[in-house]
């Protein structure tokens, strides 16, 4: 719409909740529509109309309450009709009826004038249309009349002439004062001056607000402005699916993250939740977890920052019985989920208005013909769901080496065919039952990216079998036992609970000397290490507190706690992921033969020495293999965590969570120095033939215990693309001390 419209319908929508800039943010229902027609060409005003929306009282169970309530409503209606000042007041019982009645009254009034036919709504800001009418209609499955899909934002039209005005600070009262219009400030309701931002709009203020907005429109149409009302705001009628390239630039200020979605929700459900706001083409991307299943989150990309800000106001609005959390996200986050680089996927998704269904659990030998026959078995079957495009409408997901993954995506021409296909969920194809889910373009990109992406590090030639030297895994005897180990803590115990348990020995704790041990799930393991100022005080504390009861502030249960003295080497061993299985007695004697130690998975203490192994490859044989330096990775330095541990050497991160004691808390995690023997670069080890039903990284760490490797590399490749597309193969960094034959 480029030419100026013939009529403007100045509209105000009011809910039973907050008004002003918080209108629609509390999901309250629409209770009032007030509008006035403006003849743009003749600069004349029509009559003022008010439509009240009141629920039907027939659902009340007691007749007496029903009669009393109806009497109150009638009296209230008469008072509002007399005091509001509207020329025409109507009442209806539902939002659906109210929207259709508004459209009917507006059309009849325009036709009665007869001077033109084009009419468009005009509101004070975006909230009345985008945050009130469309969201409520979507939640109640109400079909909205066409007139609500385009409107003029009076604030934006005003700003075209007053460019220095702050759009967010504008309202009808501010615009009227800037245009020098007469305003009765004593009776006019000013939302910016209200002490309670969630205050409900008074009944009489709604009519005054519309009258003031109509006066502003006439002022803009008159000299010296002679404003043209063209190019109205548009509300998207439906969500358009599409593809997104990883090379595309996505603005950080247009993306949000929605959390708490039902697992069966689709991109259309997300678009329905954000109805009234314009989502970019292909801008709804459902997130998948490590197993390829939906995790209840989605990233949504809007056409502008303004729409993103309006979406944030829908935080904890409801989708069915669930409330949805809405947070800011970045363009990089969106591209990680929805971006793709495959031309095959782009061709598959290039067909618009297609419904995508995901097949999971296909036999590895499945062919396109078998998939087509699965959905269209034969002429004798009543329900037929033909695949759109035949074989071209089927996309098999494969590993980079061409092996099938058991997943496929199928296109259907319409919703009816897609629903018919979904009813075949868990039917048999070959000897396997097939899972069927409604899918999205973004999910296709995610699955293809996960399985088809190339590994981050080129796969080196398979290494020869390593000859591993023997080594001592125990801490050196005779270490100063100036630390305490607390075992059997309540799982809810906090630092304050531990300090209370220690009592007078709290003063003997070194700064940042309390270390709680967490398990692999990041939860308390029931162990804690404490660094004391001297071995004598550590011994006294263990003798006095051993097997005393400890209670937690967050739990009513109490547990007895075992207290043992230990050395700093033993503490560091456990904090780095190892374990101690000393056989202790109450007298705290230790038998060397009864000690079982497992080395740390991340790095070894400096005291652990590795006996250098002799070369096992002759010079002639070594020439047949590429130089080991071509496969080496440079260890990456990390900044020190706090001043207690020396920062003079290369540092590697301690993956065990670190909890300091008062008086201060460091700003980063704790780090331990690596041995000087790691100054040289390491290499790669490939481990083919791993079991598919193992425990993942935990098994790898157990297998590599006692040998130094960079934890960030091992964990990255164990979880990353190399492991994802082939679970039976992984890479670990190899230190130079390891000898290969």
């Amino acid at each position: 719409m480029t030419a100026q419209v013939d009529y403007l319908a100045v509209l105000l929508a009011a809910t039973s909740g907050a008004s002003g800039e918080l209108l629609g943010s509390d999901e309250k229902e629409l209770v009032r529509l007030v509008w006035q027609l403006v003849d743009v060409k003749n600069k004349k005003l029509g009559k003022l109309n008010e439509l009240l929306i009141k629920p039907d009282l027939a659902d009340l169970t007691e007749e007496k309450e029903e009669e009393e309530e109806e009497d109150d409503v009638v009296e209230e209606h008469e008072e509002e009709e007399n005091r509001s000042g509207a020329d025409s007041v109507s009442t209806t019982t539902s939002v659906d009826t109210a929207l259709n009645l508004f459209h009917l009254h507006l059309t009849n009034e325009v036709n009665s004038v007869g001077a033109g036919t084009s009419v468009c709504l005009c509101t004070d800001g975006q909230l009345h249309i985008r945050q009130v009418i469309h969201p409520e209609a979507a939640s109640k499955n109400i079909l909205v009349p066409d007139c609500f899909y385009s409107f003029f934002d009076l604030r934006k039209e005003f700003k075209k002439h007053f460019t220095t005005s702050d759009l967010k600070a504008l309202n009808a009262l501010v615009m009227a004062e800037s245009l020098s219009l007469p305003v009765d400030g004593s009776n006019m309701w000013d939302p910016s001056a209200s002490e309670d931002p969630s205050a409900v709009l008074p009944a009489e203020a709604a009519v005054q607000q519309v009258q003031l907005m109509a006066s502003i429109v006439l002022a803009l149409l008159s000299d010296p402005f002679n404003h043209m009302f063209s190019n109205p705001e548009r509300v998207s009628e439906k969500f358009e699916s599409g593809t997104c390239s990883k090379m595309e630039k996505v603005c950080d200020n247009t993306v949000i993250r929605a959390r708490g979605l039902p697992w069966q929700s689709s991109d259309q459900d997300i678009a329905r939740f954000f109805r009234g706001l314009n989502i970019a083409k292909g801008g709804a991307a459902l997130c998948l977890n490590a197993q390829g299943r939906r995790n209840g989150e989605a990233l949504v990309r809007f056409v502008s920052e303004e729409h993103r800000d309006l979406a944030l106001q829908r935080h904890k609005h409801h989708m069915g019985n669930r409330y949805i959390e809405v947070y800011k996200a970045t363009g990089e986050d969106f591209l990680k989920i929805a971006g793709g680089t495959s031309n095959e996927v782009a061709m598959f998704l290039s067909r618009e208005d297609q419904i995508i269904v995901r097949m999971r659990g296909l036999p590895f030998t499945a062919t396109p013909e078998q998939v087509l026959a699965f959905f269209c078995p034969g002429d004798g079957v009543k329900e037929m769901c033909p695949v759109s495009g035949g074989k071209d409408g089927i996309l098999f997901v494969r590993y980079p080496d061409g092996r099938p993954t058991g997943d496929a995506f199928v296109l259907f021409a319409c919703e009816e065919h897609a629903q018919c296909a979904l009813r075949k969920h868990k039917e048999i194809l070959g000897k396997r039952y097939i899972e069927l889910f409604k899918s999205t373009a973004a999910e296709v990109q995610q699955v293809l990216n996960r399985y088809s992406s190339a590994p981050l590090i080129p796969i080196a030639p398979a290494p020869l079998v390593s000859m591993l030297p023997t080594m001592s895994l125990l801490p050196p005897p005779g270490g100063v036992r100036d630390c305490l180990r607390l075992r059997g803590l309540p799982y809810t115990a906090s630092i304050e609970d531990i300090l209370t348990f220690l009592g007078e020995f709290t003063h003997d704790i070194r700064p940042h000397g309390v270390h709680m041990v967490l398990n692999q799930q990041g939860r308390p393991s029931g162990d804690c290490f404490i660094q004391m100022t001297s071995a004598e005080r550590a011994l006294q504390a263990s003798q006095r507190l051993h097997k005393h009861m400890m209670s937690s502030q967050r739990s009513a249960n109490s547990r007895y706690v075992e207290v043992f003295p230990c050395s700093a080497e033993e503490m560091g061993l456990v904090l780095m992921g190892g374990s101690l299985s000393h056989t202790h007695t109450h007298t705290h004697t230790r038998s060397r033969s009864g000690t079982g130690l497992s080395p740390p998975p991340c790095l070894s203490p400096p005291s652990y020495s590795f006996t250098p192994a002799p070369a096992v490859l002759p010079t002639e044989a070594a020439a047949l293999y590429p130089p080991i330096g071509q496969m080496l990775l440079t260890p990456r330095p990390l900044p020190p965590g706090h001043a207690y541990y020396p920062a003079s050497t290369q540092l590697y991160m301690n993956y065990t969570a670190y909890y300091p004691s008062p008086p201060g808390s460091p700003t980063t995690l704790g780090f331990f120095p690596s041995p000087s023997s790691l100054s040289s670069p390491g290499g790669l080890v490939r481990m083919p033939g791993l079991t598919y039903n193992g425990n993942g990284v935990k098994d790898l760490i157990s297998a590599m215990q006692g040998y130094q490797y960079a934890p960030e590399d091992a964990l990255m490749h164990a979880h990353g693309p190399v492991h994802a597309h082939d679970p039976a193969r992984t890479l670990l960094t190899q230190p130079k001390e390891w000898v290969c034959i």
Side-chain angles (χ1 to χ4, degrees):
M1 187 184 298
T2 56
Q4 179 156 279
V5 296
D6 298 325
Y7 298 97
L8 287 176
V10 179
L11 174 68
L12 182 142
T15 68
S16 60
S19 57
E21 297 306 314
L22 296 180
L23 181 66
S25 62
D26 51 6
E27 285 190 289
K28 296 297 183 180
E29 292 187 342
L30 181 67
V31 296
R32 179 178 284 103
L33 288 175
V34 183
W35 73 95
Q36 187 172 19
L37 196 65
V38 179
D39 188 342
V40 175
K41 294 182 178 180
N42 300 321
K43 300 180 180 60
K44 294 182 179 180
L45 298 178
K47 64 179 181 179
L48 198 59
N49 303 277
E50 184 175 15
L51 179 59
L52 303 178
I53 305 170
K54 298 182 179 180
D56 191 358
L57 301 177
D59 296 333
L60 294 178
T61 56
E62 298 184 8
E63 296 181 358
K64 183 176 180 181
E65 291 182 6
E66 179 181 355
E67 294 176 358
E68 292 177 356
E69 191 71 21
E70 287 177 349
D71 293 340
D72 294 340
V73 171
V74 171
E75 293 177 0
E76 181 183 356
H77 171 64
E78 292 176 354
E79 292 178 0
E80 289 181 354
E81 184 176 359
N82 294 331
R83 72 187 182 190
S84 65
D87 300 325
S88 174
V89 179
S90 304
T91 304
T92 185
T93 58
S94 66
V95 175
D96 186 12
T97 307
L99 297 180
N100 291 319
L101 190 60
F102 166 82
H103 181 61
L104 179 62
H105 286 180
L106 185 63
T107 304
N108 292 337
E109 188 173 359
V110 170
N111 293 335
S112 64
V113 177
T117 57
S118 61
V119 60
C120 188
L121 305 182
C122 180
T123 61
D124 181 15
Q126 305 272 320
L127 304 181
H128 303 268
I129 300 295
R130 297 192 185 275
Q131 296 287 74
V132 176
I133 295 177
H134 281 282
E136 184 170 350
S139 64
K140 297 180 178 180
N141 294 322
I142 296 174
L143 185 63
V144 178
D146 295 339
C147 62
F148 290 102
Y149 285 97
S150 62
F151 67 98
F152 287 100
D153 185 348
L154 188 56
R155 299 182 184 183
K156 292 184 178 180
E157 303 300 319
F158 175 85
K159 188 175 174 58
K160 292 179 181 179
H161 300 280
F162 296 86
T163 56
T164 59
S165 302
D166 184 7
L167 195 63
K168 295 182 179 180
L170 287 178
N171 56 50
L173 192 60
V174 173
M175 290 186 286
E177 292 176 352
S178 301
L179 293 171
S180 301
L181 296 179
V183 177
D184 187 359
S186 59
N187 297 327
M188 183 60 62
W189 184 73
D190 185 3
S192 60
S194 176
E195 297 181 357
D196 184 8
S198 61
V200 180
L201 180 68
E204 65 277 4
V207 174
Q208 296 176 359
Q209 194 87 350
V210 171
Q211 290 175 328
L212 186 59
M213 291 167 58
S215 301
I216 295 172
V217 171
L218 291 179
L220 292 177
L221 292 172
S222 305
D223 294 332
F225 304 106
N226 295 320
H227 183 71
M228 292 283 293
F229 283 89
S230 58
N231 299 320
E233 298 275 329
R234 299 288 184 181
V235 179
S236 299
E237 296 189 30
K238 64 177 182 178
F239 170 71
E240 297 183 29
S241 59
T243 60
C244 178
S245 171
K246 282 188 177 294
M247 306 305 295
E248 185 176 346
K249 292 183 179 180
V250 179
C251 179
D252 291 342
N253 296 327
T254 61
V255 182
I256 61 94
R257 180 184 297 273
R259 182 179 300 168
L261 299 168
W263 68 269
Q264 71 273 23
S265 59
S266 65
D267 52 356
Q268 297 295 336
D269 297 322
I270 297 172
R272 188 179 299 109
F273 176 79
F274 290 106
R275 182 70 58 83
L277 307 179
N278 295 348
I279 300 176
K281 184 176 181 180
L286 294 163
C287 301
L288 306 180
N289 59 18
Q291 289 74 37
R293 303 176 187 272
R294 297 173 185 174
N295 61 4
E297 294 188 5
L299 290 166
V300 185
R301 177 188 177 191
F302 295 92
V303 296
S304 67
E305 181 180 359
E306 179 184 26
H307 290 241
R308 191 282 307 267
D309 293 339
L310 293 176
L312 292 174
Q313 294 184 13
R314 300 193 188 182
H315 179 60
K316 291 196 173 180
H317 282 203
H318 288 77
M319 179 185 292
N321 295 327
R322 300 175 63 94
Y323 72 84
I324 308 301
E325 301 175 11
V326 182
Y327 304 99
K328 291 182 180 179
T330 64
E332 182 181 0
D333 295 336
F334 182 80
L335 289 177
K336 287 180 181 178
I337 300 300
T341 56
S342 173
N343 293 330
E344 183 182 10
V345 177
M347 290 294 296
F348 178 77
L349 298 175
S350 61
R351 305 179 182 89
E352 297 184 358
D353 299 329
Q354 300 285 336
I355 310 299
I356 307 174
V357 172
R358 180 181 179 183
M359 305 180 70
R360 191 165 63 194
L362 287 169
F364 293 147
T365 57
T367 63
E369 291 78 9
Q370 290 176 322
V371 174
L372 293 175
F374 176 78
F375 291 108
C376 296
D379 298 335
V381 180
K382 295 181 179 180
E383 288 190 338
M384 302 288 290
C385 36
V387 177
S388 177
K391 294 182 180 180
D392 294 335
I394 304 173
L395 177 64
F396 287 98
V397 183
R398 302 181 183 276
Y399 290 114
D401 57 3
R403 293 182 296 114
T405 64
D407 284 28
F409 293 93
V410 183
L411 293 178
F412 293 94
C414 62
E415 185 70 27
E416 181 182 358
H417 289 169
Q419 292 299 327
C420 175
L422 291 174
R423 285 193 286 270
K424 295 180 177 290
H425 181 60
K426 291 194 175 182
E427 289 191 7
I428 302 299
L429 174 59
K431 296 182 179 181
R432 299 175 63 97
Y433 72 86
I434 308 301
E435 297 178 286
L436 300 175
F437 308 94
K438 197 172 182 179
S439 186
T440 65
E443 185 173 356
V444 176
Q445 294 282 20
Q446 284 185 81
V447 175
L448 267 294
N449 290 343
R450 177 167 298 172
Y451 286 113
S452 304
S453 59
L456 295 178
I457 297 181
I459 299 178
L464 301 176
V465 179
S466 299
M467 295 296 294
L468 302 178
T470 59
M471 64 202 70
S472 173
L473 299 179
L474 296 176
V480 179
R481 306 174 68 78
D482 58 350
C483 300
L484 289 176
R485 181 186 183 188
L486 275 62
R487 187 169 62 187
L489 298 173
Y491 293 124
T492 58
S494 63
I495 298 293
E496 291 74 14
D497 298 327
I498 295 173
L499 298 179
T500 303
F501 174 78
L502 293 176
E504 62 178 281
F505 297 102
T506 303
H507 303 289
D508 300 305
I509 301 176
R510 292 184 181 182
H512 311 304
V514 179
H515 307 267
M516 298 186 70
V517 183
L518 306 184
N519 58 21
Q520 291 185 348
Q521 288 74 36
R523 299 174 181 174
S525 64
D527 281 21
C528 174
F529 286 91
I530 300 174
Q531 294 175 293
M532 306 293 286
T533 55
S534 65
E536 291 76 13
R537 295 297 289 174
L539 180 60
Q540 293 175 13
S542 64
Q543 291 175 343
R544 188 175 304 178
L545 300 175
H546 184 62
K547 291 193 176 182
H548 280 208
M549 302 298 293
M550 176 188 288
S551 59
S552 172
Q553 297 177 359
R554 290 177 286 181
S555 175
N557 298 329
S558 299
R559 299 184 62 176
Y560 77 86
V561 177
E562 299 176 285
V563 183
F564 310 108
C566 66
S567 64
E569 289 81 7
E570 293 172 340
M571 180 196 71
L573 181 65
V574 176
L575 289 180
M576 302 302 284
S579 63
L580 294 173
S581 59
H582 299 309
T583 304
H584 291 280
T585 63
H586 185 62
T587 58
H588 310 291
T589 60
R590 182 179 67 168
S591 171
R592 201 64 178 170
S593 61
T595 301
L597 296 177
S598 59
C602 297
L603 56 91
S604 301
S607 59
Y608 292 169
S609 60
F610 291 83
T611 305
V616 294
L617 280 180
T619 306
E620 296 79 5
L624 300 176
Y625 298 94
I628 197 68
Q630 295 181 3
M631 298 184 292
L632 300 184
L633 297 177
T634 304
R636 289 171 283 189
L638 296 174
H642 50 81
Y644 179 75
Y645 298 100
S648 58
T649 58
Q650 182 86 10
L651 296 175
Y652 288 86
M653 184 173 181
N654 171 20
Y655 280 88
T656 303
Y658 170 74
Y659 290 87
S661 61
S665 175
T667 57
T668 59
L669 295 176
F671 294 84
F672 289 88
S674 68
S676 58
S677 60
L678 283 184
S679 58
S680 59
L684 296 176
V685 171
R686 186 182 182 192
M687 303 177 66
L690 296 178
T691 59
Y692 285 89
N693 57 352
N695 294 326
V697 178
K698 183 178 179 181
D699 289 345
L700 298 179
I701 290 176
S702 299
M704 310 307 296
Q705 282 184 354
Y707 308 104
Q708 303 171 14
Y709 63 89
E712 61 272 25
D713 290 331
L715 295 178
M716 177 182 70
H717 300 312
H719 286 293
V722 174
H723 181 74
H725 76 261
D726 194 348
R729 301 175 185 270
T730 188
L731 293 176
L732 289 174
T733 54
Q734 171 191 0
K736 188 177 180 181
E737 287 81 6
W738 295 9
V739 181
C740 300
I741 61 171

